[in-house]
Amino acid sequence: MDESGQPQSGTGEATPPADHTGERPAPPFAGRTPSAAPETGAGAAGTVSGTKAEVTASDGTQPGTPADETSGTEADETGTARAAASPPPEPGSGRDADPEASEATGEAMGEGPEGPGPGTAPRADDDRPAPADAPATPEPQSTAPHPLGTHDRHPERTAAHSGNRKGPTKPPEPRGGLLMGKPFGVPVYVAPSWFLVAALITWVFGGQLDRVLPELGAARYLVALFFAVAFYASVLVHELAHTVAALRFKLPVRRIRLQFFGGVSEIEKESETPGREFVLAFVGPLLSLVLAGVFYVAMKAVEPGTVPGVLLAGLMISNLIVAAFNLLPGLPLDGGRMLRAVVWKITGNAMSGTVAAAWVGRALAVAVLIGLPLLTQSGALGQNAEDVSGMDTVTDALLAAILAAIIWTGAGNSLRMARLREHLPELRARTLTRRAVPVEHATPLSEALRRANEAGARALVVVDPDGEPRSIVREAAIVGVPEHRRPWVAVSGLAQDLTDGMRVSAELAGEELLDTLRATPATEYLVVEENGAIYGVLSAADVERAFVKAMARPS
């Protein structure tokens, strides 16, 4: 391509992105090493028993190590941009490449210790952020031959020889526990923490049954276990209400998880209007209230003081508590999302609604932490103050601390997710793409790098004799080849074959871009125009840096 972005014939011309700033980028990998992106924890925003909108991404490993027989080197990489799920890492942590490795790489590319050598284009600014969960690209491995020859420390990865390459595979979706079924096509998982809660409910409710129905004996614990299962079945109905409403509004639902202190419906996109947001949040507590009414009517039909009567009374009360708790006006509870929708409607700004509901949620967390033990001590919860023991006080304080922590953390995650979605449109494939040079598969690496340096490009695309792109030369593989071996190493031996998922449109941006990269984990992607012409190469590490930089800016 010429500087206008039009394709040119032959294989020696660069394919520059049309809307780059005009500054000539640095030669491929000159004076730099692949920067390592920190790993991040899982999970972003969530609700105790409500909806959760999140941007998620999955880890994936990129096959291929540059262990070419002619180089005696090794390098490995993982790669994909990851959104979601997790809170973005703090910018500036662990992202700078090792200075010594960077200097050595610069010399290998024809630069001296003092800077670029003759004929080398100036280096472009690499301080571009990326998605929170994009996997780290590797640091270059030592160029000293392994005493046993080429040896891959990761045998599960495919060596980067032209005849033995495989395309990246899509990582499995995170399970999140024991799969119980797929109502409405949405998987329902029971988290391991549920079994702990079920045992706790069985123990507590079994003790209460001993006072109400002492004739049951040890069988009371079987009745209590049935109550625990029935209660979480009610929670599942609550979450299915959110799920059905989300699917009705064309919002994808990733999964439902039953876990400690309730359930979570993981809805992957935000509602488009405040009205839909309000409905989506309200249907959960509404169904809990309906269930409480059903259990009340059924309780009236049975004899009091019997096992069915006690079970129905307990389920009625527990569903009333679930509904009332979730209607509290603070994120991440359903009532907080309803408050967010109201503020969004009034101000016309979804971010303003999120901020208001999140801070109310934090105030609510403090109120729960302080107020719940005080209510127990005062007897306001129906128990005589004289009957409250020291153990009851400790238990209530522990319960209040756990609830407060869940609410406070969920409110903070909601704020981070809102800021993430606000900045996602700034991630555009066209502006993050590196200029690329097309080369044929038999081209020596040294010649390919010379062409790239002359064109000011920072990526190599292997094309067939007809000019069709077939693979991308991996940055980590180039770094792993010593300079004196480069005239004898063909670029095809360092390239990753292109799959359909590794071809992305230059028009992709925001959440759509992240979803595309997540679907096919890789370290580099071929960016093409709508007519199929090569636009350049997109590095997952560049997307990650751009993501973190955007997240660091205030809303």
Side-chain angles (χ1 to χ4, degrees):
M1 289 188 183
D2 58 19
E3 290 298 330
S4 65
Q6 299 299 320
Q8 297 291 322
S9 60
T11 61
E13 296 295 323
T15 58
D19 62 348
H20 281 189
T21 60
E23 296 183 8
R24 195 176 189 186
F29 333 115
R32 64 186 293 272
T33 59
S35 57
E39 297 182 357
T40 61
T47 66
V48 176
S49 184
T51 62
K52 178 170 99 171
E54 62 176 3
V55 177
T56 59
S58 301
D59 288 335
T61 57
Q62 174 67 16
T65 59
D68 195 280
E69 292 181 0
T70 60
S71 65
T73 64
E74 62 182 42
D76 45 73
E77 76 247 307
T78 61
T80 186
R82 186 178 182 187
S86 354
E90 293 299 325
S93 60
R95 300 186 177 276
D96 296 326
D98 180 28
E100 296 181 4
S102 181
E103 180 179 348
T105 307
E107 294 175 358
M109 292 297 303
E111 300 182 10
E114 301 299 324
T120 303
R123 177 179 177 183
D125 183 10
D126 279 334
D127 186 21
R128 290 180 297 188
D133 283 309
T137 53
E139 295 183 1
Q141 305 296 320
S142 170
T143 58
H146 193 278
L148 299 179
T150 56
H151 174 69
D152 191 354
R153 294 176 299 168
H154 301 273
E156 73 278 8
R157 298 179 181 172
T158 307
H161 294 287
S162 59
N164 191 29
R165 292 187 302 269
K166 298 180 181 178
T169 57
K170 185 176 180 178
E173 288 291 329
R175 294 180 57 86
L178 179 65
L179 178 63
M180 302 302 295
K182 292 186 176 181
F184 306 103
V186 178
V188 176
Y189 293 101
V190 174
S193 60
W194 177 86
F195 296 96
L196 176 62
V197 176
L200 180 62
I201 292 175
T202 301
W203 177 62
V204 173
F205 193 68
Q208 294 176 347
L209 286 176
D210 189 36
R211 293 192 295 269
V212 178
L213 299 171
E215 65 275 9
L216 288 178
R220 67 181 183 274
Y221 291 108
L222 291 177
V223 178
L225 178 61
F226 179 83
F227 170 79
V229 174
F231 169 67
Y232 267 85
S234 301
V235 174
L236 176 59
V237 172
H238 176 113
E239 297 304 328
L240 285 175
H242 292 305
T243 296
V244 172
L247 296 177
R248 176 67 177 81
F249 295 144
K250 309 299 183 184
L251 301 176
V253 182
R254 185 184 183 194
R255 62 182 176 179
I256 297 174
R257 294 187 71 212
L258 299 180
Q259 56 189 12
F260 195 78
F261 275 110
V264 177
S265 300
E266 298 184 5
I267 301 173
E268 295 185 336
K269 294 184 181 295
E270 290 280 2
S271 301
E272 297 178 355
T273 65
R276 290 185 174 185
E277 174 78 356
F278 187 93
V279 172
L280 189 61
F282 181 63
V283 291
L286 178 62
L287 256 292
S288 294
L289 289 173
V290 170
L291 284 176
V294 170
F295 290 130
Y296 175 77
V297 172
M299 181 183 67
K300 292 297 184 181
V302 300
E303 184 178 350
T306 61
V307 171
V310 173
L311 284 176
L312 290 171
L315 290 172
M316 179 197 68
I317 294 173
S318 61
N319 276 275
L320 284 175
I321 293 174
V322 168
F325 181 73
N326 276 277
L327 286 173
L328 293 176
L331 286 173
L333 303 175
D334 294 331
R337 296 196 173 274
M338 294 164 62
L339 175 62
R340 174 182 182 268
V342 171
V343 177
W344 180 3
K345 180 68 175 179
I346 295 174
T347 64
N349 189 328
M351 187 65 184
S352 298
T354 302
V355 172
W359 279 106
V360 172
R362 287 176 169 176
L364 181 63
V366 175
V368 169
L369 179 63
I370 300 174
L372 185 58
L374 292 179
L375 288 175
T376 303
Q377 289 288 338
S378 64
L381 298 181
Q383 187 176 10
N384 293 330
E386 295 80 7
D387 297 334
V388 177
S389 64
M391 181 59 69
D392 291 335
T393 302
V394 172
T395 301
D396 291 337
L398 179 60
L399 177 63
I402 294 175
L403 287 175
I406 291 174
I407 297 173
W408 183 279
T409 303
N413 285 340
S414 297
L415 276 175
R416 284 189 289 272
M417 289 301 300
R419 187 171 63 177
L420 180 152
R421 291 185 178 278
E422 186 179 46
H423 290 303
L424 272 183
E426 301 174 17
L427 301 178
R428 304 187 62 83
R430 187 175 294 276
T431 59
L432 296 172
T433 297
R434 300 177 178 183
R435 183 175 303 185
V437 168
V439 294
E440 293 187 349
H441 74 281
T443 305
L445 179 58
S446 58
E447 171 62 16
L449 294 179
R450 184 192 65 78
R451 296 180 190 177
N453 288 343
E454 288 181 353
R458 297 177 53 215
L460 300 173
V461 177
V462 179
V463 298
D464 62 16
D466 296 328
E468 289 295 321
R470 297 301 179 189
S471 56
I472 299 175
V473 180
R474 295 173 293 112
E475 179 179 2
I478 294 177
V479 173
V481 179
E483 185 177 5
H484 69 277
R485 299 299 306 168
R486 293 177 180 179
W488 289 273
V489 177
V491 292
S492 59
L494 307 174
Q496 171 64 57
D497 288 338
L498 287 170
T499 63
D500 291 339
M502 292 176 65
R503 298 171 186 258
V504 301
S505 170
E507 304 303 323
L508 290 179
E511 192 169 347
E512 186 180 5
L513 173 62
L514 296 185
D515 289 342
T516 301
L517 301 189
R518 180 185 65 189
T520 307
T523 52
E524 289 98 5
Y525 300 84
L526 180 68
V527 181
V528 296
E529 296 282 11
E530 292 183 358
N531 60 3
I534 298 175
Y535 183 75
V537 171
L538 177 65
S539 169
D542 290 344
V543 180
E544 180 183 0
R545 285 190 291 270
F547 181 90
V548 175
K549 186 175 181 180
M551 287 296 296
R553 288 196 292 270
S555 300

